[in-house]
Amino acid sequence: MAQEKLALLGGEKTIRSDDSDIFAWPIVTDRHEQAVLDVLRSRQMSGNEITKEFEREYASMLGRKHGLAYPNGTSAILGAMYGLGIGLGDEVICPSITYWASIVQAYNLGATPVFADVDPETICIDPNDIEHRITPRTKAIVVVHYASMPAEMGAIMEIAGKHNLKVLEDCSHAHGALYKGKEVGTFGDAAAFSLMTGKALAVGEAGIFFTDDRRVYERAILFGHYIRHDQITLDELKPFIGLPCGGFKHRLHQVSSAFGLVQLELYPMQMAEIDKAMNYFCDLLEDTPGIEPMRPGRVGLAPPQAKRDGGASPTLQSTTKGGWYYPHFKYVTEELGGLSISRFSKAIQAEGSICNPGCNKPLHLHPLFTSMDVYGHGKPTRIANLDESATINQYVQKLPVAENIVRRVFEVPWFKHYDPKIIEQHADAYKKVVENHRALLLDDTGNDADTGGYSSFFSNRKNTD
């Protein structure tokens, strides 16, 4: 392979066979179609009985007391924030590397985001960068299990307990993932999931949050689920029932709920096949110079549902990536002669595989969090609800890992089926580029300025241009 001419330089592509099926997602079955048709024909698109069934089933699978479904993950996180009591003048700590919907909703509640750096080994919030950011105004920590990698929940929960802080897990990238044998979404005071079409557990366009705290659950109902105010039992909330107290209408379309009920049954086996395929791809490239798979240790890979289905249960030390949404590798440019990640990625793409440089861009550098006055307060919204002594400079941080990681990681193919021949072709494409990387150095501009983006939406698709 070392003597082969790279496709980017006029050679033959490594991948010439049709591999579209291995990336098609979600997998739509006759059962999904029938469930959707049943809702349409019953004219119950705006009802809530199917949605309630979906909430109960998902909460039961996760082992949480309450689930509340939403039109999307963004609104689910907003509802969870309100449920947790986040409000005017509060600070919320969040990793800078994440999709914007992990934290921007705090502005709607009058709260101030405070960004923390990430761990370069996981791209998740670094527990060592949390505690010194806590002030008397800090109300909560948003933990993002980024690119399917579980965050270090042991250390994070210890910090939260020590300072009496709420923890909101954003699990939108990590459906079914385990941290030391326990499923993500079961650690925090609340946990929210996006369920849109591109996610691992995809139901179309939807979101959901879970909690074991009845007050958190009922506050969220009060805030945006006015048609369900008959579920409110707490005396302190009863005077306000009848209208959505946040002015939001958060009802989920029941077509998504019906699709989701089928998906809850099928996802465990789909997740297991994805896990097998992705680990095989990682195994093939494990010792390849310049690139490093980002995955936990290979222990106890059985999905959490397997135990309920009579299969093997994961070990107490197992940490897994669930459905492997948005999978990444580390890029070690020093091992490839200083080759830029942009040039490397273009060479992989030319071979017919998927390689997108970077990850989400750091939020703390965006003007929305440094200067923008969203609502006309006459000052940056970030500090608009703090006392007059607060200045924006106090909240503009330097986060060295977050600021550089977009040049140190890249997105790899997300295989939905275990097809060794196809997976091997994609691995061969990577090996070919690595082995011939010197041929790419001559015309390498080294321009990595545009790596990453503020959305990962459907990025794991092949470039057909």
Side-chain angles (χ1 to χ4, degrees):
M1 187 180 295
Q3 278 68 46
E4 288 188 61
K5 190 174 185 179
L6 293 172
L8 186 66
L9 305 179
E12 293 289 326
K13 291 172 61 174
T14 303
I15 299 167
R16 293 186 290 272
S17 58
D18 181 12
D19 60 358
S20 57
D21 183 63
I22 204 169
F23 297 114
W25 195 254
I27 299 168
V28 180
T29 68
D30 291 342
R31 290 184 59 198
H32 289 101
E33 293 177 358
Q34 188 59 54
V36 168
L37 284 173
D38 288 345
V39 174
L40 295 176
R41 288 169 177 164
S42 67
R43 297 172 176 82
Q44 292 298 311
M45 291 82 80
S46 295
N48 57 39
E49 290 309 310
I50 300 171
T51 296
K52 289 179 180 179
E53 184 182 356
F54 174 65
E55 293 167 349
R56 289 191 296 268
E57 183 63 25
Y58 201 162
S60 176
M61 290 178 66
L62 195 59
R64 304 222 66 165
K65 292 181 180 179
H66 309 292
L68 192 59
Y70 286 78
N72 48 59
T74 303
S75 54
I77 291 174
L78 173 61
M81 286 181 172
Y82 184 81
L84 290 169
I86 294 169
L88 195 69
D90 290 335
E91 292 177 347
V92 182
I93 297 173
C94 179
S96 179
I97 301 296
T98 185
Y99 182 55
W100 56 263
S102 298
I103 190 62
V104 173
Q105 303 90 313
Y107 276 176
N108 293 335
L109 301 175
T112 295
V114 174
F115 292 107
D117 215 340
V118 296
D119 184 334
E121 299 301 317
T122 64
I123 326 182
C124 296
I125 191 168
D126 184 351
N128 296 317
D129 198 47
I130 293 176
E131 198 158 15
H132 70 102
R133 302 191 184 281
I134 297 172
T135 74
R137 292 183 293 272
T138 307
K139 185 65 170 286
I141 303 169
V142 174
V143 179
V144 182
H145 303 291
Y146 190 82
S148 305
M149 186 73 79
E152 289 293 334
M153 293 308 300
I156 293 167
M157 295 306 296
E158 183 176 347
I159 293 169
K162 177 180 176 182
H163 296 276
N164 194 29
L165 302 178
K166 302 295 184 181
V167 173
L168 170 57
E169 294 179 76
D170 181 353
C171 307
S172 300
H173 286 193
H175 309 77
L178 305 177
Y179 172 76
K180 295 185 178 179
K182 186 178 179 182
E183 198 163 354
V184 300
T186 61
F187 293 87
D189 299 277
F193 295 73
S194 168
L195 306 173
M196 50 77 74
T197 304
K199 294 299 192 292
L201 204 165
V203 310
E205 190 64 42
I208 193 168
F209 98 82
F210 301 96
T211 184
D212 295 331
D213 189 324
R214 184 74 192 183
R215 185 172 186 274
V216 173
Y217 174 66
E218 291 194 11
R219 278 177 57 86
I221 290 175
L222 188 73
F223 190 63
H225 291 270
Y226 69 98
I227 203 69
R228 297 173 61 168
H229 282 185
D230 59 343
Q231 294 178 246
I232 292 177
T233 63
L234 299 178
D235 289 339
E236 64 185 281
L237 302 181
K238 285 181 179 180
F240 311 110
I241 64 174
L243 297 178
C245 294
F248 294 95
K249 187 177 183 180
H250 283 157
R251 180 171 61 220
L252 175 61
H253 195 297
Q254 290 211 125
V255 165
S256 291
S257 304
F259 192 99
L261 278 168
V262 177
Q263 196 64 4
L264 288 177
E265 291 185 42
L266 300 181
Y267 180 64
M269 295 309 298
Q270 293 174 345
M271 180 174 68
E273 184 166 3
I274 291 171
D275 186 76
K276 184 177 182 180
M278 291 305 304
N279 274 301
Y280 183 56
F281 179 70
C282 292
D283 289 344
L284 292 171
L285 295 173
E286 185 68 55
D287 299 320
T288 305
I291 60 176
E292 298 178 11
M294 300 187 75
R295 58 175 172 170
R298 297 290 308 280
V299 181
L301 291 175
Q305 291 83 355
K307 183 177 181 181
R308 290 188 284 273
D309 295 338
S313 61
T315 70
L316 290 176
Q317 297 303 312
S318 62
T319 298
T320 72
K321 295 185 73 171
W324 283 75
Y325 173 80
Y326 200 36
H328 278 72
F329 276 25
K330 291 175 65 177
Y331 185 67
V332 188
T333 181
E334 296 83 1
E335 295 181 4
L336 298 179
L339 182 68
S340 69
I341 195 170
S342 297
R343 181 75 165 161
F344 173 81
S345 298
K346 288 178 181 177
I348 296 292
Q349 293 167 6
E351 296 297 332
S353 189
I354 295 167
C355 183
N356 295 310
C359 55
N360 285 94
K361 288 184 177 181
L363 293 178
H364 74 282
L365 299 179
H366 194 282
L368 177 60
F369 299 107
T370 61
S371 61
M372 187 175 181
D373 179 2
V374 179
Y375 301 116
H377 286 100
K379 62 177 72 174
T381 302
R382 185 110 175 258
I383 61 168
N385 296 300
L386 302 177
D387 61 61
E388 292 298 322
S389 66
T391 66
I392 192 62
N393 290 337
Q394 295 174 265
Y395 289 88
V396 178
Q397 306 97 322
K398 290 287 187 180
L399 304 177
V401 177
E403 291 168 24
N404 288 284
I405 201 163
V406 291
R407 292 176 288 276
R408 289 290 185 173
V409 296
F410 59 91
E411 183 187 11
V412 299
W414 181 24
F415 302 105
K416 312 307 191 303
H417 302 283
Y418 179 67
D419 186 330
K421 290 183 179 179
I422 295 294
I423 296 170
E424 287 162 11
Q425 286 185 44
H426 283 267
D428 286 344
Y430 274 82
K431 291 177 182 177
K432 179 182 175 183
V433 171
V434 168
E435 291 174 9
N436 293 277
H437 72 273
R438 290 181 180 83
L440 297 167
L441 290 169
L442 182 61
D443 295 322
D444 184 13
T445 64
N447 184 10
D448 287 334
D450 294 327
T451 55
Y454 290 107
S455 175
S456 56
F457 184 57
F458 285 172
S459 59
N460 200 277
R461 288 187 172 183
K462 293 177 69 174
N463 185 350
T464 57
D465 294 342

